[in-house]
Amino acid sequence: MSTNTPNTKKQAIVSQKDLNLLFRIIKTNWWIPIAILPIFYAMGTFYVYRLTNIYQASTQFLLKVNDTYYQNNVLNDASFYSYGSYVDNLNEQRIIQSYDMSSQVVDKLLPDLQVSYYIVGKIRTTEQFKNVPVDIVVNSVNPGFYEQIFDLKILDYNSYEISYEQDGIKQVKKGKFGERLIDVDLGITVNRNLTFTDKKIESFKEIFYQFAIHSKEYLISNIQGNLSIENPDYTNILILSLTDIIPERAILILDTLNSVYASSKLKSKFELNERTISYIDRQLNEISYSLKSIEDTMQDYKERKSIIDLEWEQNDFLTKIGSYDGQKSQLQLELKALNDLENYIIEDKDPQFLPPNIFVFEKSGFLSTAVNDLYLKQIELNKVYNIAKETNPIVADLKSSIKKTKQDLLIYITNTRKAVNQQVEGLNKEILSYINEAKLIPGKQRDILNIQRKSAVSEHLYNFLLEKKANTKIAKASIVPDMKIVESPRNVGVVSPDKPAIQKSFLSAGLLVSLLIILLRAFFYSKIKSVAHLKELTDLPLIGVLPYVKDENNDGIIVEQKPNSLISESFRNLRTNLQYANIGVGAKTYLITSFLPGEGKTFTSVNLATIFARSGKKTVLIELDLHKPRIFKRFGLPPQTIGLTTCISGLNTYEEIISSTPIPNLNCIYSGPIPPNPSEFVLSQKLREIIDRAKVDYDFVIIDTPPAGLLSDSIYLIQQVDASIFVLNTKSSSKRVITFLENIVEVNNLENVLLVLNGVTGLGKRYYYQGYGYGYGYGSGYGTGYGGGYGTGYGTGYGTRKK
């Protein structure tokens, strides 16, 4: 008993079949990337050339800078930094990016930014900032013209021409340099700049200029959209970056933004300083009027009472009582300031109405520090309200801090007021004591004393306010913004587009497209050019190979015209292979079809039938391509009026449709007139009887049918023949055709389906004679089939399996 030994031979990871497939794909498609990659590289180069470079300008400044040069003032600038060192940089970033800040920048730069200038080239249009010979001043413009492109042409040294589209109609306006253009919708003045000279006029005339007028809203939106702010960790430094296609313009905008932001930081401090000076001026005016009134009263009293001098007690009483009254007045001012501050805190007024008199009697200590802190927190709260909602955590924190400060201030005011009242009561007692003593002085002397005392008090207060006003004015010069420029605006360079990356992307796309085309060609549109390629795609047996013939579609029978040619030898080999093929004993009926027209099925049918007849076999050729009959042309005959269609219709008998040919042993049954319903004739029982009759009368029956890829006639007829031959042509047959054939075989359970590869190039007689060296031997039974074949071309044989 024999036993099967297992095959221990390891299967290679990459087989020779895989290598052949790869080699064939490379061989047939190597030119695709070579052709496509330069195209995509050129496209990428052109695209990159048309792109506009985006530049970035950058500046840096430091927040919370306490630079001050004068401390002795009513409102100490250093008091703004009494508590803490944290600066909320997020709020500052939002302020810088706010609409109002950008609006102020645009207002300052509107003459420079409102008009954009362009030079139109053959391939691209470039925007210019200062490199144009003209300067356009916008006096008035129709809002509908904002962002519209205007064409500008320089006619000569004195005149120009502007053209634009309005309501689909081209408008042309001419004007003179330096004079306002008289137009209702476009009120502009075009001026020559310093580069516009007589020597350059000809070159300027050849350049195609354009310009656009921008609205303020457009400019503000552009600045906000291109501005970015970065705050490095653990620093109070802000880095402002602005992108623009013109770096000089970006630098100008950033420089102006720095100036506007610094001015905004100074604004609140200057306002508080001015309010303090205004309050002191009002108090000085009131005291001046009071002093003048006192002096007038004294003069009038002395004139009416005829008083020349007072006794020596006058000086003593005046000095003491005046001193006490002065102290009392100052304490009363302090009480008034405390009351004003208390009302301010309780009524929760806007910080712009902070009573300035609270600073007049400022002393170092809690009150001055806490009041300044409260004021700053309220200012900050108003700023946050402009950019945040009530639910913002920052708002809640500020409100809580303000409430705590107010509570502390109210407690301190109550205690301070109590102490001041006690001092006032003490002074009142002292004054009352001296007044009682002064009652002993004659009435006239007492009245003069009262008038002089009031005058002394007013003068003392007047001198005090003058000193504070001088200090406050000096302090104004020491107010500086709490920010410092660390790095002036400068051009960082091009930030986009990344042109090398774009070109690489185009090359990658070209490579991807090349691979996609190669894959599509390899798997869907790759033509079957060789026997090896066909064997890789299918296990259907290959029964013959026909070399490429230039005049294949011409009329005539090539094996008769060129009996010693390579194509004739190929048909003889095909006949031999059919006779020895493993398709059953006594097989004589062969159906020949193809997937599409023009693949050589009729050519193969006629020449194969001729080869059989020339070998002495009685052969009949049946033309069953009722849709487009052509066999009669091969025999040099006109369209036949008698044939299958007339026999099936009952107009002729079987014997009458048998036509002889010039070739011995070869008869032909032509299709006859083309019927309106060819498929019904194919399905008729009469046709089956004709085929059965031919099988009896002839040694071989060759049936030419319509293309199987277009009509189902041949699929139906396959069941009535011994073997079916599908002709594949190297010009049109692809994997799709093989898939179609295999599906037909599997779905219809067909047997004896054979293939013929037509139009193979590179075949010579040596190829066929080489095959004869192996001989035409039989295999060992039906399983292996015909084993010799065409030498190296058909080493696996052409036999089919017996099912």
Side-chain angles (χ1 to χ4, degrees):
M1 178 182 296
S2 63
T3 60
N4 294 329
T5 61
N7 185 8
T8 60
K9 184 179 179 180
K10 294 183 179 179
Q11 186 176 4
I13 297 176
V14 179
S15 63
Q16 184 64 36
K17 181 179 179 181
D18 297 330
L19 294 176
N20 292 339
L21 174 63
L22 179 62
F23 176 75
R24 186 179 67 256
I25 292 175
I26 295 174
K27 181 180 178 181
T28 56
N29 299 283
W30 61 267
W31 57 273
I32 293 177
I34 294 178
I36 290 180
L37 287 179
I39 295 175
F40 272 79
Y41 180 79
M43 291 170 58
T45 302
F46 180 75
Y47 177 78
V48 165
Y49 176 76
R50 286 181 55 86
L51 290 178
T52 301
N53 289 332
I54 305 297
Y55 297 87
Q56 184 182 77
S58 176
T59 184
Q60 301 181 23
F61 56 77
L62 175 66
L63 297 176
K64 190 183 176 300
V65 180
N66 188 15
D67 292 340
T68 183
Y69 305 99
Y70 189 78
Q71 302 292 334
N72 188 20
N73 54 355
V74 173
L75 182 60
N76 191 347
D77 192 54
S79 66
F80 279 86
Y81 310 103
S82 297
Y83 292 108
S85 61
Y86 174 71
V87 176
D88 192 348
N89 294 332
L90 181 60
N91 287 339
E92 296 301 321
Q93 293 179 41
R94 292 178 178 174
I95 291 172
I96 294 172
Q97 290 180 310
S98 66
Y99 178 90
D100 291 343
M101 192 68 63
S102 299
S103 177
Q104 294 178 49
V105 173
V106 171
D107 289 339
K108 286 193 172 186
L109 298 177
L110 191 60
D112 296 316
L113 302 181
Q114 190 172 18
V115 180
S116 294
Y117 304 91
Y118 306 91
I119 294 180
V120 180
K122 294 181 178 179
I123 298 178
R124 63 177 179 176
T125 300
T126 57
E127 183 176 356
Q128 305 293 321
F129 188 53
K130 297 293 185 181
N131 300 326
V132 288
V134 297
D135 181 29
I136 298 177
V137 178
V138 180
N139 303 307
S140 64
V141 64
N142 185 340
F145 284 171
Y146 283 134
E147 321 316 326
Q148 180 172 333
I149 297 297
F150 296 86
D151 297 332
L152 174 64
K153 183 179 181 181
I154 297 176
L155 301 178
D156 51 45
Y157 185 76
N158 296 314
S159 59
Y160 61 88
E161 179 182 275
I162 294 177
S163 59
Y164 56 93
E165 292 285 337
Q166 185 177 21
D167 298 329
I169 302 175
K170 184 176 182 180
Q171 303 290 337
V172 179
K173 306 290 182 181
K174 292 184 179 181
K176 293 186 176 296
F177 292 111
E179 298 181 5
R180 180 168 177 172
L181 182 66
I182 302 176
D183 187 83
V184 176
D185 296 323
L186 190 63
I188 62 174
T189 302
V190 182
N191 299 317
R192 295 186 294 264
N193 60 23
L194 297 178
T195 61
F196 198 121
T197 61
D198 290 333
K199 296 180 180 179
K200 298 181 180 180
I201 186 63
E202 293 301 326
S203 61
F204 291 156
K205 290 168 63 176
E206 296 177 357
I207 300 176
F208 182 21
Y209 296 100
Q210 290 182 336
F211 69 91
I213 302 174
H214 305 301
S215 64
K216 182 179 177 180
E217 296 297 325
Y218 172 86
L219 296 174
I220 293 173
S221 176
N222 197 33
I223 292 176
Q224 288 182 305
N226 295 326
L227 180 65
S228 61
I229 303 177
E230 179 184 356
N231 177 210
D233 295 338
Y234 312 110
T235 70
N236 283 332
I237 292 179
L238 292 184
I239 302 175
L240 276 63
S241 299
L242 184 68
T243 56
D244 200 327
I245 61 177
I246 301 176
E248 295 83 0
R249 182 168 58 194
I251 292 174
L252 178 63
I253 292 175
L254 284 181
D255 188 57
T256 306
L257 181 60
N258 287 341
S259 175
V260 170
Y261 179 65
S263 299
S264 69
K265 300 291 287 183
L266 291 173
K267 185 177 179 181
S268 60
K269 299 180 181 181
F270 279 124
E271 288 178 351
L272 186 56
N273 185 280
E274 291 294 335
R275 286 199 299 271
T276 302
I277 294 176
S278 176
Y279 170 78
I280 294 175
D281 286 337
R282 289 196 303 271
Q283 295 297 316
L284 287 173
N285 290 333
E286 293 177 3
I287 295 173
S288 297
Y289 179 79
S290 177
L291 285 172
K292 185 177 184 304
S293 177
I294 292 172
E295 292 173 355
D296 292 341
T297 303
M298 176 68 76
Q299 183 66 27
D300 180 67
Y301 184 80
K302 286 183 177 182
E303 288 178 356
R304 286 188 295 104
K305 300 297 182 177
S306 301
I307 296 175
I308 299 175
D309 196 5
L310 297 174
E311 296 180 356
W312 63 269
E313 290 95 350
Q314 178 179 357
N315 291 330
D316 183 56
F317 289 140
L318 179 63
T319 301
K320 293 181 179 179
I321 296 174
S323 175
Y324 290 140
D325 279 340
Q327 295 178 31
K328 179 181 176 182
S329 298
Q330 188 165 350
L331 290 174
Q332 288 175 342
L333 284 175
E334 292 182 11
L335 285 174
K336 185 178 183 301
L338 290 173
N339 292 334
D340 291 344
L341 179 58
E342 185 180 42
N343 292 333
Y344 167 77
I345 294 173
I346 294 174
E347 294 174 3
D348 195 18
K349 292 185 177 180
D350 189 89
Q352 294 183 357
F353 300 97
L354 179 67
N357 56 5
I358 65 173
F359 300 102
V360 174
F361 301 97
E362 180 190 8
K363 298 177 181 180
S364 60
F366 173 80
L367 181 62
S368 176
T369 300
V371 168
N372 283 323
D373 184 46
L374 175 62
Y375 179 76
L376 287 178
K377 288 178 179 178
Q378 289 177 327
I379 291 294
E380 184 176 0
L381 180 60
N382 285 350
K383 290 182 178 179
V384 173
Y385 270 134
N386 293 331
I387 60 176
K389 296 182 178 179
E390 185 70 21
T391 58
N392 193 298
I394 298 176
V395 175
D397 292 342
L398 285 174
K399 282 188 173 182
S400 176
S401 179
I402 289 171
K403 183 178 180 181
K404 179 66 171 59
T405 304
K406 285 183 177 182
Q407 291 174 351
D408 295 339
L409 279 172
L410 290 174
I411 295 172
Y412 183 86
I413 290 170
T414 302
N415 295 334
T416 304
R417 183 165 49 208
K418 182 178 180 181
V420 172
N421 285 329
Q422 291 175 354
Q423 294 178 15
V424 171
E425 290 177 2
L427 290 174
N428 285 334
K429 291 178 181 180
E430 293 292 332
I431 294 173
L432 182 60
S433 171
Y434 281 100
I435 290 176
N436 290 332
E437 293 180 3
K439 288 181 180 180
L440 301 176
I441 300 174
K444 292 182 180 180
Q445 191 174 11
R446 186 175 60 247
D447 293 339
I448 291 175
L449 183 63
N450 289 332
I451 295 173
Q452 288 178 343
R453 185 184 66 222
K454 292 180 180 179
S455 178
V457 171
S458 297
E459 287 180 357
H460 177 76
L461 186 57
Y462 186 85
N463 292 330
F464 172 78
L465 291 175
L466 282 178
E467 179 184 358
K468 293 302 180 181
K469 179 179 179 181
N471 292 339
T472 304
K473 285 189 174 181
I474 294 173
K476 184 177 182 180
S478 68
I479 297 176
V480 294
D482 52 351
M483 54 86 71
K484 179 184 290 184
I485 301 296
V486 176
E487 183 179 280
S488 298
R490 64 182 181 88
N491 180 19
V492 178
V494 178
V495 293
S496 66
D498 189 350
K499 295 185 177 181
I502 293 175
Q503 283 193 311
K504 290 179 182 178
S505 299
F506 270 88
L507 287 176
S508 300
L511 183 60
L512 184 62
V513 170
S514 300
L515 293 176
L516 182 61
I517 293 175
I518 290 173
L519 290 176
L520 290 174
R521 283 171 50 86
F523 291 100
F524 298 101
Y525 300 101
S526 178
K527 301 300 184 293
I528 301 173
K529 295 293 185 180
S530 64
V531 173
H533 187 189
L534 181 59
K535 288 182 178 181
E536 292 173 3
L537 298 178
T538 183
D539 292 330
L540 293 175
L542 179 63
I543 197 67
V545 177
L546 302 178
Y548 170 75
V549 178
K550 186 176 182 181
D551 52 355
E552 173 183 318
N553 293 325
N554 293 342
D555 297 337
I557 303 173
I558 196 167
V559 295
E560 283 291 302
Q561 298 170 349
K562 301 177 180 180
N564 296 323
S565 64
L566 182 60
I567 186 65
S568 299
E569 189 64 31
S570 300
F571 276 109
R572 295 187 187 98
N573 288 331
L574 175 59
R575 176 197 62 193
T576 303
N577 293 337
L578 286 173
Q579 290 176 345
Y580 291 98
N582 212 10
I583 56 178
V585 180
K588 60 165 52 179
T589 309
Y590 300 103
L591 179 146
I592 300 178
T593 186
S594 62
F595 181 72
L596 294 173
E599 293 194 88
K601 66 174 182 60
T602 301
F603 170 77
T604 303
S605 301
V606 174
N607 286 280
L608 180 62
T610 302
I611 287 296
F612 273 120
R614 284 295 183 182
S615 65
K617 302 296 182 180
K618 190 177 181 182
T619 306
V620 63
L621 177 61
I622 301 177
E623 186 177 25
L624 265 177
D625 188 353
L626 304 182
H627 298 265
K628 193 176 180 180
R630 297 184 60 185
I631 290 181
F632 63 87
K633 294 183 179 180
R634 292 287 178 176
F635 292 101
L637 300 174
Q640 300 297 293
T641 58
I642 297 176
L644 287 172
T645 57
T646 58
C647 181
I648 295 173
S649 300
L651 301 178
N652 296 102
T653 63
Y654 168 78
E655 290 77 8
E656 292 175 342
I657 63 173
I658 301 295
S659 300
S660 60
T661 67
I663 301 170
N665 300 320
L666 178 61
N667 291 333
C668 186
I669 300 178
Y670 297 104
S671 64
I674 300 176
N677 50 353
S679 297
E680 294 183 6
F681 280 77
V682 173
L683 299 176
S684 65
Q685 180 62 30
K686 186 69 173 178
L687 177 61
R688 179 183 293 272
E689 294 174 358
I690 294 174
I691 295 175
D692 292 340
R693 181 80 176 271
K695 291 180 182 180
V696 174
D697 295 342
Y698 295 92
D699 297 324
F700 289 101
V701 178
I702 309 298
I703 302 175
D704 182 51
T705 63
L710 300 179
L711 301 168
S712 60
D713 297 359
S714 56
I715 307 302
Y716 171 75
L717 293 171
I718 287 177
Q719 303 173 4
Q720 303 181 35
V721 298
D722 298 319
S724 303
I725 300 175
F726 276 84
V727 179
L728 307 176
N729 196 295
T730 57
K731 292 182 179 180
S732 57
S733 296
S734 62
K735 184 179 179 180
R736 183 167 62 99
V737 177
I738 299 300
T739 303
F740 172 79
L741 296 179
E742 291 178 340
N743 288 339
I744 290 178
V745 173
E746 181 179 357
V747 171
N748 296 280
N749 195 24
L750 301 180
E751 297 181 359
N752 301 331
V753 177
L754 310 174
L755 303 180
V756 169
L757 185 59
N758 183 27
V760 179
T761 58
L763 296 179
K765 288 187 177 181
R766 180 182 177 184
Y767 181 81
Y768 286 93
Y769 295 148
Q770 187 179 14
Y772 293 135
Y774 291 93
Y776 292 105
Y778 288 99
S780 56
Y782 294 122
T784 58
Y786 173 66
Y790 290 147
T792 58
Y794 304 99
T796 57
Y798 299 134
T800 60
R801 297 182 181 273
K802 185 71 174 179
K803 297 186 180 180

